[in-house]
Structures are given as structure tokens and as C-alpha cells.
Amino acid sequence: MEFIASPKQVMPSFFSHSFSYPSTDFLFKPVFLRGVSGSLHLVLLFVLFSSWACHKFKRGNREAPKERCKNTTSLYYKQTLIFCLGLFAFNLVLCLFSSFYWYRNGWSEERLVTLLDLAIRTVSWGVISVCLHTQFSNFGNSKYPYFLRVWWGFYFFLSCYCLVIDIVLYKKQVSLAVQSLVLDVVSVISGLFFVFVGVFGKDEDEDTLLGEPLLNGNSGEDSDLVSNKSKGEATVTPYSNAGIFSILSFSWIGPLIAVGNKKTLDLEDVPQLDVGDSVVGIFPTLKSRIESDCGGVNRDTTLKLVKAVFLAVWKDILWTVLVVLLYTLASYVGPYLIDTFVQYLNGRREFKNEGYMLVSAFCVAKIVECLTQRQWFFKTQQIGVRVRAALVVIIYNKGLTLSCQSKQGHTSGEIINFMTIDAERIGDFVWYMHDPWMVILQVALALLVLYKNLGFAAISTLVATVLVMLANLPLGKLQEKFQDKLMASKDVRMKATSEILRNMRILKLQGWEIKFLSKIFELRKTEAGWLRKYLYTWAMTSFVFWGAPTFVSVVTFGTCMLLGIPLDSGKILSALATFRILQEPIYNLPDTISMIAQTKVSFDRISSFLRLDDLQPDVIEKLPRGSSETAIEIADGTFSWDVSSQNPTLKDISFKVFRGMKVAVCGTVGSGKSSLLSCILGEIPKISGIVKLCGTKAYVAQSPWIQSGKIEENILFGEAMDRERYERVLEACSLKKDLEVLSFGDQTVIGERGINLSGGQKQRIQIARALYQDANIYLFDDPFSAVDAHTGSHLFKECLLGLLSSKTVIYVTHQVEFLPAADLILVMKDGRITQAGKYNEILNSGTDFMELVGAHKEALSTLNSVDAGSIEKRCIDEKDENLVTTNGVMKKEEDGVGQDSQTEDAAEPKGQLVQEEEREKGRVSFQVYWKYITTAYGGALVPLILLGQILFQVLQIGSNYWMAWASPVTEGAEPAVGGVTLILVYVALAIGSSLCVLVRATLLVKAGYKTATLLFNKMHQSIFRAPMSFFDATPSGRILNRASTDQSAVDLTFFTQIASFAFSMIQLVGIIAVMSQVAWQVFIVFIPVIAASVWYQQYYMPAARELSRLVGVCKAPVIQHFAETISGATTIRSFDQESRFRDTNMKLADGYSRPKFHIAGAMEWLCFRLDMFSAITFVFSLVFLISVPEGIAGLAVTYALNLHTLQAWVIWNLCEMENKIISVERILQYTTIPSEPPLVIESNRPDRSWPSRGEIDVRDLQVQYAPHMPLVLRGLTCTFPGGMKTGIVGRTGSGKSTLIQTLFRIVDPAAGQIVIDGIDISLIGLHDLRSRLSIIPQEPTMFEGTVRSNLDPLEEYTDEQIWQALDKCQLGDEVRKKEGKLDSAVTENGENWSMGQRQLVCLGRVLLKKSKVLVLDEATASVDTATDNLIQQTLREHFSDCTVITIAHRITSVLDRLIEEYDSPARLLENKSSSFSQLVAEYTMRSNTNF
């Protein structure tokens, strides 16, 4: 303690009583000096007031100029303002302390004059500060006022005079007050600065935004800012140019919080990030680090990735290291001084005013601690935001270049998890980064403090601390293991969920959704098993650490007893304060260890993903545009999707395509047609050979890939709008009509994966996208199969032979009629090109092509044999939906229904299908908390958990109180009880408190786990029972976000958050109780401080809550964009659009970082203010304690040291809880989705044999997809007789598929009804209906799993029945070839099966189900004519007595069965103006002509 006593020798006594002067001149007397000083300051105040009044008067008479383009401020303006504010604060503090001190020690004339001088100084400097601020901010003055500069000169002169007199008196051994000396020194330094500023303060120009930045040669950043403004975007965050005070006090975020208070914050209100914090700033650094370290992302190891991330942000990390070091040192000042403080209270004074010196030391340490902690927390979160964004971009870029084989190893669900969970976790880890070395430093400092107080007993503290930490290692290991398993099982579940959401329509149609829900519950069961183990391990860790300080203190005090080290209350309290600080790193250690474990897992996962193989960059040799006549050349090419496979996908491929040629590729299902296009695109690994490509390429995939967004954006695909070309493309793709029907035209927002478009519309938008790109080479993968005959031939004529007449085109097709127009036809079989040449050349040269053409001719012959027949037939043509039946033939209804419905429709407001994601606004209602708390066991465990914590707190305080009360006040004093009793009682209390912690932790985990499980089940049941319209309007990203991120929060963090809030509240109440026991006066300060804290918290909350919600809302687009990119990677690469997609991803990543960054700032803004309040409380309580010396006061100080942390901790927990509850709120939102009608209505179940005849009666059917959307079917009436084959034909988008959806009650009719065999389908349960109907859907779907699980997911059939079905649909041999037979694997989306084979699997499902009513929704669109004929034949054989409804684009698919069963569709064909006869004519015409 020597360093505090030392001023005694050096300095005169503080606040000295005696002022004895020899007979010096009057000029030397302090009364005179202080009087002159006060007068000088009064003169200044008078002049400033007068000039202000004049100015007001003048301004009243004339208007001030409106704006100044040039804002000139004096040099050093900011520093001057800071100096003035500093002097104001300094004088205020000095004034208050002097008055307080003299009030107790008596007044004199001299003291009164001094006090008056200090008061006038305080007011003067305050007024000067205000003047400077208004003068320069409002009027942009270029110089300081003349009078002020003169006054500064006088002020400096007077200060020097006073200081000289102080020194003279000191030399003459005259004792003088320290505060006079301090005041004069400060005045001279500040006076010198003001004189310098007054004399040398030149003008400096600051151009405002009104100026012309380019003319002034401003930096690029400024002009960016201006252009940002002009774009109407948000300004850049004020943080980027905040001053030191603004940064320390976080006032730069004040404006945003203020806006949040006035209105609900939206993303536009949140400022843009500074370049340093945005992806643009950090990503290039990280990328170059990875590349310089590893020579590329592919050779990355975990260690190198960690190193690269560290080096990308090392400067900021270094800065946080410095701040953390300062914080740690400051936090130990309290415990170090507490012994001295207690001795002081017990009457041992080292020197005069020691109390105030101690209070000052405590106070300064506290303020440093507060400031550094705030900076540390904010800076780590800022680094976290940067790192996360950079990793997201790296993962995204990798996803864009993954080879197909790598992609099969990782499903999109897993890859999305790298982005949503692993990158997020690494970003969060930065917060914990310093904990490992901090623990070591804190333990070392603690031991020093303890050694000072307790001598060698400190060694036992070290041993106990090490033991506690070691106890943690096995727990940490277990936690890491369980975390690993938990993540792996979560991946599997997310993968299944995302696949199910993608194919929800099929599940609903087949009535399988409940089976698949149980599959999700099974996966969750596994996950929950690991979750439970993880949480109970966490409970054990938390027990170890709440008990740790108690254990350490028992060991330490026990050792003191054994070694005979005397314990007095000061030493005990100092030790207790130290243990309490030690408690924090030891508390945080389990979190840190589990965080390190989790982060290591995440780094491993990301780096293993980054090491996956990319597409081979050298597969294709690209020649510059127009450098060669050969557009495509492949020589001796062998390609294989699976490089390790013995049997390559494509073998001996050789052909040459010249510029402008049209090349057709045909062959049976699975012959390698799509793979051939993939090898030209460079998507398939090359084993040998050469591929040359000259020019740019565009590609149309077989299954359409449509981005969510406007139709126009999909067609432009990053190109600039050229209206003329755009219109030409729309015309060629016959999209004009479709756009007229859509209420928003080409501005209609398409749902995810083009959900609100028909198959044909999606396909045509895809073709339009390719045509608009104006490439040299076009690759079409069977685009004509998804559209009707008329549209197909229109597309072929207008696109391939029209717009693309001069381009090179390769098209895969199953339609033989498009082959004669080709310059070269490639016939494929088993991965080889078996024939190549023109149509007539190869027609006679081999069997493969003959087979294809023969099948087509056979189909056509049926068409040509159509002639007038007498038997009734039926074919529904849905060109217009206003149809009724008369005598069995469909006629267009001629009355005004059509027109009426049209006009009515136009009058209704129509809305987009995909709406903005809904987010709750305003406060989270108490209802949400209540629901969460009472979910598990009706909330029965909550009071028990709280009781556990209250008992723990009481026993803790009791044990410390006991130690402080029972130990002697000073060394040598008589102790109240014996040493053994002292320790025994302490141990008993300690064991009691530890048990409370154990019970509390176990119950907490039990309640948290149960709640998470129940919420998961509720949400998933609700989602799976939601109507299809919910999935159409909700992008799967939103649902996945709740199932992964929000569910994770509920699983792992939210229950601990709620508990933390409750526990910290209980602790706070405990501390207040102890302090009020000693000095009730504390309440005088405490009550207003708490009130102010709560006010601040309320002020801050609206902004923070909305920012939290924005984080949730901004995350979904990142996930969705990523999911879309992965599924459309081939298309994106084929158009060379990778860079545009990368840019979009960077924008979205920044959009997510923005609210995250500002949340961090807002949190620290609040905490800083709360810290300052608690520092005030702390200082006041110390001052009161000095005035009320009482033994037990030491205990109050021990607790008061923790007060600021705890006060902030309570409010912080409250805010975090309000932020985190949003996850619960979002999950609860999805537990209340309106559900579909019941699956089974017990009172109205149809017969087991229903439907026995299969007669379907449609009566006045009106259908719309959503209340705000137009009618799709307008009053349809018709009958499908039982056992008959009915074809539905019509232009694309005319409502064919809608009729089928209504039949399956995917959409319920707005009016009218459908009756099957006398039962109105709207009156029976959905499962009863859907399980009795069969459908082969438009888009063939397979699920990840096995062949068996794909054919029979409900496990209702024997293997024998499954084999029979496979043989009937011609897949038996294909499956027998595979190693696993029925158990051979099917990858995600059935990617390892061709489109045609997938269609055949769907046929197999139908053959197993054997329903009376079968619907084919364009089922043969993606198979060749031969396979189509084969499917037709299978259906004829096995469904001869069923009602078959076919929607088809190939007229042959419909006619086949119409003729077979009924003779002929004569009546429609006789009427040459009927749409049906036109469609047939179109088809026969295009088949007989050579385009």
C-alpha cells in the first residue's frame, strides 16, 4: 500500500485547513486572485449574452441565407470544443467536491470566494462550449470571434500569474490547498492551447454534400456516398466517420435508435455498412490469404483456414487484445484495494483524506473497466460480422463451382447448413476468442492479490482452480462429441425436410405427407437423443462452475486455518471479491470450451467442403468468338459422371458441328442424350478426348430452372433491357398471351421454383431466357415435350428456325417430327452415338433410328384412322373454361357467363402470389413468453427452478456474511467464534448452495428439452397439414430457416437466456438487500438510477427488437438465393453468369450483416449508459460508507464491486431475451397455420370399394388459387363416365392442371362441386379421397432413399408385387443390373436416374396402387415416342376398366385411348373450327412437313 501513502511526503495536505501567509503583498492573496478570476469570467458571460441578444434581434429583421455550399470551419475546432467541455467537467467536479468538503469542515471568507470562482468558471466554460457548437455547426464561421480570442489571451496571462504565485508561496514553505495548485496547472495548459488556436487557427474547408465533389477532387468514397444518396439508398453508417467520443459512448448509433422509437424500423432505415465492415472489404483479403497460404481454396486444411481468417482481421484482433488486457487489469484494482478500504473503515488511517483517494482509485478503475469492456464486446461482434459474411461468400462461391460428383456427396440441405450454422458459429466464436488466455491472466492476477493478503495459502487457491478446470476437460470432450453427433443428425433431418418441402405437392397428391412427417419425427428422435445428452452434460458443467468459487474459497480458508494464517475481515472480503472475479472466467470456461469445440467442428466441416473437387476447368478448349468455322468439336471423347466407375456414361464420342448448323439428338430413355449436352457444357468429368467450343453458349435444361423474382428478370437474366428484342423473344416463345392473363404481366413475381406457372410456361420462359442472351451456340434439352402440339411447333418454327436461323443449335428431342429439319441427327444408345447423318441418310442405315421413327408412325396411324363414328366419345378441350355437356359432347357455353366473370375479375384487386415475409411488429406479447414457459409440464418446473436459485443466492450471501461477521475486525482482535466453527459452518452453507445449483440446472435442462421437443412437433405437424397454397406462397427458405436456425435457438440457447434473466434479477435483489443493510442512503441514488436504466431500456428496445426481426427476415433471402443457385448451377455456368450471382450473394450477405452490426452497436450503446449509471451508484455508495464507518460495510463494498456488472447483466439479459424470444415467436407463428380439411372424417367415410365405377361429375366449377388472385376455372360443368378414357387437351396455361388439382382437393373450389360415384368429394376426408385416386404427375419425382422406398413409401406391398410393377413399367432389367437391386440408392431428387426413368418409376407407383381413377398429368412429356407408346400399352392392359383422365400435349397420347375405347372423336374433328381439330391439324401438319 506504499504507493497510496507516498503523496504524504511529497505534497502539502489535501484540502488543507490552515492558510498562513507571511506579510506578503495583497496581490499575493488567494482572495484577490480568485476574485479577479471570477470577475474576468463574469465579463465574458456578459459579453457573450449581449452579442447573442443582438444577433437574435438582427436575425428577426432579416432572413438568414438558405444554404451554404461551402462549410468552412476553423482549424482545431473539434479539439477546442473538447477542451472547453473538459474544463467544464473539471470545474464542476472540483466545485462539488470543495463544497462537500468545506460543508463538513467549516467555511471561511477565502473558501467562499474560491467556491464562487469555481461556480462562475463552470458556467462560463459550459456557455463557451454551447456557443462554439452553434456557431460552427449552424453558421459555418471561418474564425473564432475576435473578442473570444482576446479573452483567451487574458485568461492565459492570469493563469500564469496564479501559478507563479503558487510556486513562490510553496518555496516560502507556505502550506496551500492542493486544489488551487491543480486548478492553476490545468488553467495554464488549457490557456496555452487556446492562445495557440486563437493566433494560428487558419480556415479549413469542408465541402458539404451540396458541393460538387468531382470538381474538388474528393476521394472516391465521398463520391460513392453522394451517388448512394442520389440512388435514394440509405446513407453509410455514422460509425465510419465517428469521432473518439462518439465511438467510446456509442452515440453514433443514437439517431437509428431514435428513429426506431418513432416508427417501426425497416431495412431502408438501417444505414449501409462501412466498406471495412462489408463483404467487399473483407472478402478479397480473406481470399488472397487462403490462396497465398494454400495455393487455392481446394487445398485448404482446417489449420490453414483458421490462419487465413485470423490474418484477414489481425489488426482488429490485436486492438481487442489490448482492450481486454486493460479491462482485466482494471477489474482487479477493486479486490486489491478492498483490504485497505476495510482497514480504513475500521479506523486505521495511513494519511489524511485516504478515504477520498481510495474512492477516486475505485472510481477510475471502474470507469476504465466499463469503457474497455464495451469496446471489447463491440469490436469482437464487429469482427464476427465480417468473418461470417466473408465465409458465407466463400462457401457460396464454392457451391457455384462444385462438380456434380461432389454435389452428390453433399445435398443442398447440408451445404445450406455450412452457411446458416457453421459460418454463423465461427462469427459468434470471435466473442469467446480471448477467453482462453484471459483465464490464465485472471488466475495469475487473482493469485497475486491473494498472495498479498493470505501469503502461501494462495497456492491452495491455484490447486483448487486447476482442479475445477480439469474437472471440466472430460465434460468438454463429451460436449464436443455430442455436439458433433447433434450437428450430423441435424444435417440429415434438414436434408430430408428440404427434400420434402420441394416435393410437398406430390406427397399431398399421393396422401403420403403423414408418412413422411413420421420420417421427420424419427430423424428428430435421433437428433433429440444427442440433444438430451448434450444438455445434461451442459447441466453438469454449469453445476461445476456455479459451485467453483465456493469450492475454491472453502479450500483457501481451510488452508489458512491449517497454516495458522490469521484471517481478519478485510483479508476475507478481499479474498471473496477475488473469488467472485475468478468466478467469471471459470463460469465462462465451459461455454468457451464448448464454443471452441463447436467452432473446431464448424471449421473442419467448412474446410472439408472447400476441399471438394470443382468442375475440371480444362474440360473444354474455348476458342474466341468467330475464330473458327467449327462451332463444336468432340474427338474420341469418353466421359463419366462417376470417375471411379468401370462403365463410363459416354463412350467414343466424336462429331463436328459447323457454325449455323442445327443438330438433333435422339434416342431412347437413358441413352445419354442429356449427358451429351453436359459434356459440351463441361459439366461432366472428361476421361479422355478433346472438346472444342467456339463462341458463347446458352442452355435450356430439361427440367426448367426458374428463379424466384419477376418474369422479366428471369428472361433478361442480367442483360440490359432492349425493348425491341424483348418483344421479339416474347412473340417467338408465344408468351404474350400468358402475360396478358397474369394480373401483373411480366412484373408478376414467380414463386419459388416457378410454383405459380404451369410446366409449359416455365419451359417457355426458360427458352425466352436463352433466346434473349444472343449467344452463338444454343443447347436445348428436350424443351418441346412440356408444351402442347401447337405451342411446340410454334416454338420450333419461330425459335429454332426463326430467331436462331443463323446460330448453332443442338437440340435433344423425343418428337420425331422435329428431326427432318436438322442438318445432322445423332442417334444415341447406351452412351454411344450409333448413327449420325441427315434424316433420309440414316433412316435406312440402322435399326435404332428405324425403331424411333417406327414408333412415331404407329402413333400417327392411329391419328389418320380417325373418321366419323356413331358411338359417343368424349374429349374435353379446355381452351376456354366455360363449358357444359350436351349429349356427351363438350360445347362452349354461349351465354354471358364468360364475359361476366371476365369483367368481375378485372374489378377485383389482384395480388402477387408470394407476399413479403410477415414479421410481427412492436413488442413481443407476454402471451408468447407464457406459452413458452407453460409448454412443458404446464410450467410446473418453473417455480422449482426459481426456488433453487433463490436458495442458492440466500446461502451464498449467508456464507459470505458469516465469514465477514465471525472473523476478527483487525489482526489480533478477538474473533467472535473459533476457527473450526468458522470453517465448518462455511462448508455446510457452501454444500447447501452447490446442491441447489445442481437441482436447478437439472430441472432447467429438463424443462428446456421438453419445450423444444413439443414446439418442434407442433410446428412440423402444423406445416405438414398446411394447404398447398401455403407452400406455393411461402419460399422454402422461410420454412427451413425456422426448422434450422430458430429451432436451434430453442433447442440450445433460449431456455438458458430466460433462466439467466431470472437468475441475474435474483442476484441483483440480493446485492441491493446487502447494501441497504449497511447504508440505506444508497437508495437515494439507487432508485433514480434504476428508473433511468429502465427508461433507457424501454427507449432502446423498439429499435433493438425490430433490428432482431430484420436479422431473421434478411437471412431467408441469403438461404433461398443459395438454394436456388445450387439447383440452377448448370444453367448459371452455361450462361457464364457466375460473377453476377456472386455479386447478388454479396449484396444479400451485406443486407444480413447490416442489422447484425447495428444490433451490436445498439446493445453497447445501452450497456455503456447503464455502466455509467452503476459507476455513479458505486461511487456514491462508497462515499456514504466512508461517512458511516461500520464493520460489515466491507461486505457491502465487496458486493458493490459487482453491482455494475450485474445491473448491466440484468438489462442485457432482458434485451437478449426479448431478441431471442423472436425465434420462439416465429416458431409459434408456424404452429397456427390454417390447416387443410381433416384427413379422415369418421362420420363420413366412404366404402372400402369406393370408387367402384369411377364416374366423375363436375358441376359449375369455379376455382382460384387464392382469394386475391383471379379465377382460373370459370363455371366448368362436365361428366367423365366410369371406366372411360378421357383426354383433356388445350393450350398451355388454359387450366388443365388446375382441374386435376381440384379433383385431388389440392385447391378447393370457390363454387361448384365434384362428385365421384355419388359422393361429393368435399364431404369426405382428404386421405380417403387421395388414397383412392392415382396420378402420374407432370414433373416426375423421386426421393432420396432406395428404389423400394420410392415405389412403396408406405410399405404396403411385398417385394414380389414391386418386381411385377417394375417389369410392367419396363424398369425391371434396369434395376436388376444395379448391385443393390431394390435397395440400390436413389440420390437427392433422383438425380442419378434420367428424367424418363423417373417418369417410369411414377408409372410403377400407379401400377402398385391399382386405383379406379387414374390421372396422367402430361405424364409422357419427357420420354421418347417409343417409351410413350410402351406406357400407353401398359395402361391399356392394366387399366382397361378404370377411369383414365389424361392431360397431354401429344395428341397421340389422348387419341390412342379415345379411339381404342370409343371408336372416334368424330364430332370434334368434323367441326373444323373446334380447338381440338385445330390442335390435331397442327400436329399432323407438323409431322408431315419438313420444317
Side-chain angles (χ1 to χ4, degrees), residues 310-329:
F310 173 78
L311 289 175
V313 286
W314 70 272
K315 286 180 186 160
D316 297 289
I317 290 178
L318 209 61
W319 166 241
T320 54
V321 167
L322 185 70
V323 170
V324 171
L325 196 64
L326 264 176
Y327 164 77
T328 311
L329 292 171

Side-chain angles (χ1 to χ4, degrees), residues 189 311 1045:
I189 293 167
L311 289 175
T1045 317

Side-chain angles (χ1 to χ4, degrees), residues 479 528 530-543 932 936-937 941 945 997-1013 1050-1052 1055-1056 1059 1063:
Q479 254 184 318
W530 294 116
L531 176 65
R532 191 165 67 240
K533 287 177 178 159
Y534 177 81
L535 290 178
Y536 278 110
T537 320
W538 176 87
M540 280 310 298
T541 339
S542 111
F543 160 66
Y932 179 81
Y937 311 109
L941 295 181
I945 294 168
V997 169
L998 183 61
V999 171
R1000 186 208 74 193
T1002 317
L1003 290 177
L1004 180 63
V1005 163
K1006 198 173 173 59
Y1009 169 76
K1010 181 78 173 167
T1011 307
T1013 310
V1050 172
D1051 283 349
L1052 298 168
F1055 69 94
T1056 59
F1063 300 164

Side-chain angles (χ1 to χ4, degrees), residues 84 87 299 504 1167 1214 1308 1460:
C84 293
L87 282 173
R299 290 193 284 284
M504 189 53 91
C1167 288
L1214 177 61
D1308 271 331
E1460 179 78 16

Side-chain angles (χ1 to χ4, degrees), residues 702 763 780-786 811-815 1421-1423:
Q702 188 172 8
Q763 195 57 277
F780 289 99
D781 194 350
D782 195 18
F784 308 116
S785 57
Y811 59 99
V812 170
T813 184
H814 290 129
Q815 277 105 320
S1422 42
V1423 293

Side-chain angles (χ1 to χ4, degrees), residues 1169-1185:
R1169 278 142 188 79
L1170 298 179
D1171 281 354
M1172 287 303 123
F1173 282 141
S1174 40
I1176 291 168
T1177 318
F1178 178 61
V1179 170
F1180 268 96
S1181 44
L1182 289 182
V1183 171
F1184 283 128
L1185 291 172

